[in-house]
Short mmCIF file of all heavy atoms in Angstrom, two decimals:
data_model
loop_
_atom_site.label_atom_id
_atom_site.label_comp_id
_atom_site.label_asym_id
_atom_site.label_seq_id
_atom_site.Cartn_x
_atom_site.Cartn_y
_atom_site.Cartn_z
N THR A 1 9.77 50.66 -48.33
CA THR A 1 9.19 51.34 -49.48
C THR A 1 7.96 50.59 -49.99
O THR A 1 8.06 49.49 -50.53
CB THR A 1 10.24 51.48 -50.60
OG1 THR A 1 11.40 52.12 -50.06
CG2 THR A 1 9.70 52.30 -51.74
N CYS A 2 6.80 51.20 -49.81
CA CYS A 2 5.54 50.65 -50.32
C CYS A 2 5.47 50.94 -51.82
O CYS A 2 5.99 51.95 -52.29
CB CYS A 2 4.35 51.29 -49.61
SG CYS A 2 4.49 51.32 -47.80
N PHE A 3 4.78 50.09 -52.56
CA PHE A 3 4.84 50.25 -54.01
C PHE A 3 3.61 49.67 -54.69
O PHE A 3 2.88 48.83 -54.14
CB PHE A 3 6.09 49.59 -54.57
CG PHE A 3 6.22 48.11 -54.28
CD1 PHE A 3 5.80 47.15 -55.19
CD2 PHE A 3 6.76 47.67 -53.07
CE1 PHE A 3 5.91 45.79 -54.91
CE2 PHE A 3 6.88 46.32 -52.78
CZ PHE A 3 6.45 45.37 -53.70
N VAL A 4 3.39 50.17 -55.91
CA VAL A 4 2.41 49.59 -56.83
C VAL A 4 3.21 49.21 -58.08
O VAL A 4 3.37 50.00 -59.00
CB VAL A 4 1.30 50.60 -57.19
CG1 VAL A 4 0.26 49.94 -58.10
CG2 VAL A 4 0.64 51.16 -55.93
N GLY A 5 3.77 48.00 -58.07
CA GLY A 5 4.67 47.60 -59.15
C GLY A 5 5.77 48.63 -59.30
O GLY A 5 6.44 49.00 -58.35
N ASP A 6 5.92 49.15 -60.53
CA ASP A 6 6.85 50.26 -60.76
C ASP A 6 6.11 51.44 -61.36
O ASP A 6 6.60 52.16 -62.22
CB ASP A 6 8.02 49.83 -61.65
CG ASP A 6 7.58 49.30 -63.00
OD1 ASP A 6 6.36 49.19 -63.23
OD2 ASP A 6 8.45 48.99 -63.83
N ARG A 7 4.88 51.65 -60.87
CA ARG A 7 4.08 52.81 -61.28
C ARG A 7 3.42 53.45 -60.07
O ARG A 7 2.27 53.88 -60.11
CB ARG A 7 3.03 52.40 -62.33
CG ARG A 7 2.06 51.35 -61.85
CD ARG A 7 1.01 50.99 -62.91
NE ARG A 7 -0.08 50.21 -62.33
CZ ARG A 7 -1.16 50.72 -61.78
NH1 ARG A 7 -1.32 52.04 -61.73
NH2 ARG A 7 -2.10 49.96 -61.28
N THR A 8 4.17 53.54 -58.99
CA THR A 8 3.61 54.00 -57.72
C THR A 8 3.08 55.43 -57.80
O THR A 8 1.98 55.74 -57.34
CB THR A 8 4.66 53.90 -56.61
OG1 THR A 8 5.23 52.59 -56.63
CG2 THR A 8 4.05 54.15 -55.24
N GLY A 9 3.87 56.34 -58.37
CA GLY A 9 3.44 57.73 -58.46
C GLY A 9 2.17 57.89 -59.27
O GLY A 9 1.27 58.67 -58.90
N GLU A 10 2.08 57.18 -60.37
CA GLU A 10 0.88 57.23 -61.21
C GLU A 10 -0.35 56.78 -60.44
O GLU A 10 -1.40 57.43 -60.47
CB GLU A 10 1.09 56.36 -62.45
CG GLU A 10 -0.10 56.26 -63.37
CD GLU A 10 0.12 55.28 -64.50
OE1 GLU A 10 1.27 54.83 -64.69
OE2 GLU A 10 -0.86 54.94 -65.19
N ALA A 11 -0.22 55.65 -59.73
CA ALA A 11 -1.36 55.12 -58.96
C ALA A 11 -1.74 56.07 -57.83
O ALA A 11 -2.93 56.29 -57.55
CB ALA A 11 -1.00 53.75 -58.40
N MET A 12 -0.75 56.64 -57.18
CA MET A 12 -0.99 57.55 -56.06
C MET A 12 -1.68 58.82 -56.54
O MET A 12 -2.64 59.30 -55.92
CB MET A 12 0.34 57.86 -55.40
CG MET A 12 0.29 58.83 -54.26
SD MET A 12 1.95 58.96 -53.54
CE MET A 12 1.86 60.59 -52.84
N LEU A 13 -1.20 59.42 -57.63
CA LEU A 13 -1.81 60.64 -58.14
C LEU A 13 -3.24 60.39 -58.59
O LEU A 13 -4.14 61.22 -58.36
CB LEU A 13 -0.99 61.21 -59.29
CG LEU A 13 -1.49 62.54 -59.84
CD1 LEU A 13 -1.50 63.62 -58.76
CD2 LEU A 13 -0.65 62.99 -61.04
N SER A 14 -3.48 59.25 -59.22
CA SER A 14 -4.84 58.91 -59.63
C SER A 14 -5.77 58.87 -58.42
O SER A 14 -6.91 59.36 -58.47
CB SER A 14 -4.84 57.56 -60.35
OG SER A 14 -6.15 57.17 -60.70
N THR A 15 -5.28 58.30 -57.32
CA THR A 15 -6.08 58.24 -56.09
C THR A 15 -6.37 59.63 -55.57
O THR A 15 -7.52 59.94 -55.17
CB THR A 15 -5.32 57.43 -55.02
OG1 THR A 15 -5.14 56.10 -55.48
CG2 THR A 15 -6.08 57.42 -53.70
N LEU A 16 -5.38 60.50 -55.54
CA LEU A 16 -5.56 61.85 -55.03
C LEU A 16 -6.51 62.65 -55.92
O LEU A 16 -7.35 63.43 -55.42
CB LEU A 16 -4.22 62.55 -54.91
CG LEU A 16 -3.27 62.00 -53.84
CD1 LEU A 16 -1.88 62.63 -53.98
CD2 LEU A 16 -3.83 62.23 -52.44
N ILE A 17 -6.41 62.48 -57.21
CA ILE A 17 -7.32 63.19 -58.12
C ILE A 17 -8.75 62.72 -57.91
O ILE A 17 -9.70 63.52 -57.89
CB ILE A 17 -6.87 63.00 -59.58
CG1 ILE A 17 -5.59 63.80 -59.83
CG2 ILE A 17 -7.97 63.43 -60.55
CD1 ILE A 17 -4.99 63.59 -61.19
N ASP A 18 -8.93 61.41 -57.76
CA ASP A 18 -10.28 60.89 -57.49
C ASP A 18 -10.84 61.50 -56.21
O ASP A 18 -12.02 61.87 -56.15
CB ASP A 18 -10.25 59.37 -57.37
CG ASP A 18 -10.04 58.68 -58.70
OD1 ASP A 18 -10.18 59.34 -59.75
OD2 ASP A 18 -9.73 57.47 -58.69
N ARG A 19 -10.00 61.61 -55.18
CA ARG A 19 -10.45 62.20 -53.93
C ARG A 19 -10.79 63.68 -54.11
O ARG A 19 -11.81 64.16 -53.60
CB ARG A 19 -9.36 62.03 -52.87
CG ARG A 19 -9.68 62.65 -51.51
CD ARG A 19 -10.89 62.02 -50.87
NE ARG A 19 -11.15 62.59 -49.56
CZ ARG A 19 -12.29 62.43 -48.89
NH1 ARG A 19 -13.27 61.69 -49.42
NH2 ARG A 19 -12.47 62.98 -47.71
N ALA A 20 -9.96 64.40 -54.85
CA ALA A 20 -10.22 65.82 -55.10
C ALA A 20 -11.51 66.02 -55.88
O ALA A 20 -12.30 66.94 -55.59
CB ALA A 20 -9.04 66.44 -55.85
N GLN A 21 -11.75 65.17 -56.86
CA GLN A 21 -12.99 65.28 -57.63
C GLN A 21 -14.21 64.96 -56.79
O GLN A 21 -15.27 65.58 -56.95
CB GLN A 21 -12.91 64.37 -58.86
CG GLN A 21 -11.90 64.87 -59.90
CD GLN A 21 -11.76 63.93 -61.07
OE1 GLN A 21 -11.99 62.72 -60.97
NE2 GLN A 21 -11.36 64.47 -62.21
N ALA A 22 -14.06 64.01 -55.87
CA ALA A 22 -15.18 63.69 -54.97
C ALA A 22 -15.51 64.88 -54.07
O ALA A 22 -16.67 65.03 -53.64
CB ALA A 22 -14.83 62.47 -54.12
N LEU A 23 -14.53 65.73 -53.81
CA LEU A 23 -14.74 66.92 -52.99
C LEU A 23 -15.08 68.15 -53.84
O LEU A 23 -15.19 69.26 -53.31
CB LEU A 23 -13.48 67.21 -52.17
CG LEU A 23 -13.13 66.19 -51.09
CD1 LEU A 23 -11.71 66.42 -50.57
CD2 LEU A 23 -14.13 66.26 -49.95
N ASP A 24 -15.24 67.96 -55.15
CA ASP A 24 -15.60 69.04 -56.08
C ASP A 24 -14.58 70.18 -56.07
O ASP A 24 -14.94 71.37 -56.15
CB ASP A 24 -17.00 69.59 -55.78
CG ASP A 24 -18.10 68.56 -56.01
OD1 ASP A 24 -17.98 67.79 -56.98
OD2 ASP A 24 -19.06 68.52 -55.22
N ILE A 25 -13.31 69.83 -55.98
CA ILE A 25 -12.26 70.85 -56.03
C ILE A 25 -12.08 71.29 -57.48
O ILE A 25 -11.80 70.46 -58.35
CB ILE A 25 -10.94 70.30 -55.46
CG1 ILE A 25 -11.10 69.97 -53.98
CG2 ILE A 25 -9.81 71.30 -55.67
CD1 ILE A 25 -9.90 69.27 -53.37
N PRO A 26 -12.23 72.57 -57.78
CA PRO A 26 -12.07 73.02 -59.17
C PRO A 26 -10.62 72.95 -59.63
O PRO A 26 -9.69 73.14 -58.84
CB PRO A 26 -12.57 74.47 -59.13
CG PRO A 26 -12.42 74.90 -57.71
CD PRO A 26 -12.61 73.67 -56.88
N TYR A 27 -10.45 72.70 -60.91
CA TYR A 27 -9.12 72.56 -61.49
C TYR A 27 -9.10 73.26 -62.83
O TYR A 27 -10.06 73.18 -63.61
CB TYR A 27 -8.78 71.08 -61.68
CG TYR A 27 -7.46 70.85 -62.38
CD1 TYR A 27 -6.28 70.84 -61.66
CD2 TYR A 27 -7.39 70.65 -63.75
CE1 TYR A 27 -5.06 70.65 -62.28
CE2 TYR A 27 -6.18 70.45 -64.39
CZ TYR A 27 -5.02 70.45 -63.65
OH TYR A 27 -3.81 70.27 -64.28
N ARG A 28 -8.02 73.94 -63.09
CA ARG A 28 -7.87 74.60 -64.39
C ARG A 28 -6.55 74.15 -64.99
O ARG A 28 -5.49 74.30 -64.39
CB ARG A 28 -7.90 76.11 -64.23
CG ARG A 28 -7.87 76.85 -65.55
CD ARG A 28 -8.46 78.24 -65.43
NE ARG A 28 -8.48 78.89 -66.72
CZ ARG A 28 -9.12 80.02 -66.99
NH1 ARG A 28 -9.82 80.61 -66.02
NH2 ARG A 28 -9.09 80.55 -68.19
N GLU A 29 -6.60 73.59 -66.20
CA GLU A 29 -5.41 73.04 -66.83
C GLU A 29 -4.85 73.99 -67.88
O GLU A 29 -5.49 74.97 -68.28
CB GLU A 29 -5.72 71.68 -67.46
CG GLU A 29 -6.81 71.70 -68.49
CD GLU A 29 -7.23 70.30 -68.92
OE1 GLU A 29 -6.82 69.32 -68.26
OE2 GLU A 29 -7.98 70.19 -69.90
N ASN A 30 -3.62 73.70 -68.31
CA ASN A 30 -2.94 74.46 -69.36
C ASN A 30 -2.82 75.94 -69.01
O ASN A 30 -3.07 76.83 -69.83
CB ASN A 30 -3.66 74.30 -70.70
CG ASN A 30 -3.69 72.85 -71.15
OD1 ASN A 30 -2.67 72.17 -71.13
ND2 ASN A 30 -4.87 72.37 -71.53
N VAL A 31 -2.40 76.20 -67.77
CA VAL A 31 -2.18 77.57 -67.29
C VAL A 31 -0.73 77.71 -66.86
O VAL A 31 -0.21 76.86 -66.13
CB VAL A 31 -3.11 77.90 -66.10
CG1 VAL A 31 -2.71 79.23 -65.47
CG2 VAL A 31 -4.57 77.94 -66.56
N MET A 32 -0.08 78.77 -67.30
CA MET A 32 1.31 79.03 -66.90
C MET A 32 1.35 80.34 -66.13
O MET A 32 0.89 81.38 -66.61
CB MET A 32 2.22 79.10 -68.11
CG MET A 32 3.70 79.05 -67.77
SD MET A 32 4.69 78.76 -69.26
CE MET A 32 6.29 78.38 -68.54
N ILE A 33 1.89 80.28 -64.92
CA ILE A 33 2.05 81.47 -64.09
C ILE A 33 3.44 82.06 -64.34
O ILE A 33 4.45 81.35 -64.30
CB ILE A 33 1.88 81.13 -62.59
CG1 ILE A 33 0.47 80.63 -62.33
CG2 ILE A 33 2.19 82.35 -61.73
CD1 ILE A 33 -0.64 81.62 -62.66
N THR A 34 3.49 83.36 -64.60
CA THR A 34 4.76 84.01 -64.89
C THR A 34 5.18 84.99 -63.80
O THR A 34 6.34 85.41 -63.77
CB THR A 34 4.70 84.77 -66.22
OG1 THR A 34 3.67 85.77 -66.15
CG2 THR A 34 4.37 83.81 -67.36
N ARG A 35 4.25 85.35 -62.91
CA ARG A 35 4.59 86.32 -61.86
C ARG A 35 3.61 86.19 -60.71
O ARG A 35 2.41 86.04 -60.92
CB ARG A 35 4.53 87.74 -62.40
CG ARG A 35 4.85 88.83 -61.38
CD ARG A 35 4.68 90.22 -61.98
NE ARG A 35 4.91 91.27 -61.00
CZ ARG A 35 6.08 91.87 -60.78
NH1 ARG A 35 7.13 91.51 -61.47
NH2 ARG A 35 6.19 92.83 -59.89
#
């Protein structure tokens, strides 16, 4: 099990978001899908 202290998920998601932003992937927040 590879790790970043005890905040592995947080560090990993931050990395993925940085990569997504570098690729200009659009994101829309505070949206709830019901159907």
Side-chain angles (χ1 to χ4, degrees):
T1 305
C2 311
F3 59 95
V4 182
D6 58 357
R7 59 179 193 89
T8 309
E10 177 186 349
M12 178 176 154
L13 183 60
S14 177
T15 298
L16 292 171
I17 289 174
D18 287 346
R19 178 63 178 165
Q21 290 177 333
L23 293 167
D24 295 322
I25 295 173
Y27 176 84
R28 185 156 183 169
E29 58 190 11
N30 300 312
V31 170
M32 193 167 192
I33 297 300
T34 60
R35 179 184 177 93

